Amino acid sequence: MIFWILATTVMLIALFTLYYAGRGDGVNALGNSDATREHFKAQLAEIESDTANGRMTESEAAAAKGELAREVLRLQAEAGGKPVRPLKQPKSLLVLVLLVVGGGTFAVYTTIGAPGLPAQPLEARAIPTAAPSVDVPQAIAAVEAQLAANPDDARGWSVLGPIYMQSERYADAVTAFRRVLELLPVTADAETDLAEALMMANNGAATGEPMQLLQSAAARDPQHIRSRFYLAGEATRAGDYEDAIAQWQALLALGTGSEPWVETARRGIAVAEAGLTGEAPPEAPVVTAPDTDQQQMIEGMVEGLSARLEAEGGSIEEWTRLVRSRLVLGDIPAAQAAYDAARLAYPDAALRTELDAMAQNAGLE
């Protein structure tokens, strides 16, 4: 009700202003104020009064009137020429126009406006930050259809490769990453992506093409952490302990000491040093192959993911996969560290629903 009272009051003020302006009053023939016009009338009356009382002769009165006329003409010239009486609009037409304007305004507002909408505090108007749910299979199908029509779309293959990896479709990921290498300039990241996909497709085996790709990536970028991490782990697994120690130490030199993969690198050095002396590793008994190979490759994959997320960031799904992998390996402190990093990267709890639920079930803080 208050809204309509205020709206009506404002409308009436606006209509009255338009009505007053449309009447054409308030402008005199000289283009000057009413006070100026009254001044000239008073002077003319005074001349006539003096003539009637004998204080001024007829010739003097004529001269005074002529001077007054010249003053009027001068003011008219300054006002832009001959005086023009303002054109007054017929009042009936003016009232009709104003009624149409006012009635049309209210009719339009009542049609498209929302006068009954209650007031909302500014804080309650915040746009929700939760991302809409995405149908992953449908999204994959859409990208695949696009690539079927345009197989040289490098961006599409770049998007599809990581999705295949997250969906554990490793053979498809290999195809996607190969296309990326064929269509885009070769980078250390692209070579390492393909090496990871090949290793996962071959149950963790790094021999052959994966090793060649990792060596090429490390040579292409001497500070590339992911490829060097895999190479150091493979040297440790293969029993080339001197080379493993050198590679682990070179890897540690690239970090600041606070990265999540640093502890694994230090354990790798300890294992290699123990291998050189023929002693058991200081933190774990010697485990016979092939379980040792498989475990080390799994840990290598997890550390590679951790290094990439730490250095470059990633999606919430990748952080969730990292925390889950740490929990599967039984490394609770590393899982907690990964969860803390994920919360820093994604402070909006609405985006971490799955991750928070998993962390709570695992007893993470």
Side-chain angles (χ1 to χ4, degrees), residues 204 233-234 236-239 241 271 281 284-300:
E234 181 62 16
T236 305
R237 185 201 66 78
Y241 298 126
V271 170
V286 177
V287 181
T288 59
D291 293 342
T292 303
D293 297 345
Q294 185 177 4
Q295 182 71 9
Q296 286 184 346
M297 286 309 305
I298 293 175
E299 291 181 355

Side-chain angles (χ1 to χ4, degrees), residues 28-48 64-76 78:
N28 56 53
L30 295 175
N32 298 288
S33 66
D34 290 339
T36 303
R37 183 174 58 183
E38 293 301 325
H39 169 71
F40 286 122
K41 287 183 177 181
Q43 284 187 329
L44 181 60
E46 184 177 353
I47 291 172
E48 291 177 349
K65 290 180 180 180
E67 183 63 27
L68 184 61
R70 283 193 294 272
E71 182 67 16
V72 171
L73 291 175
R74 184 182 66 80
L75 290 179
Q76 289 177 352
E78 291 179 356

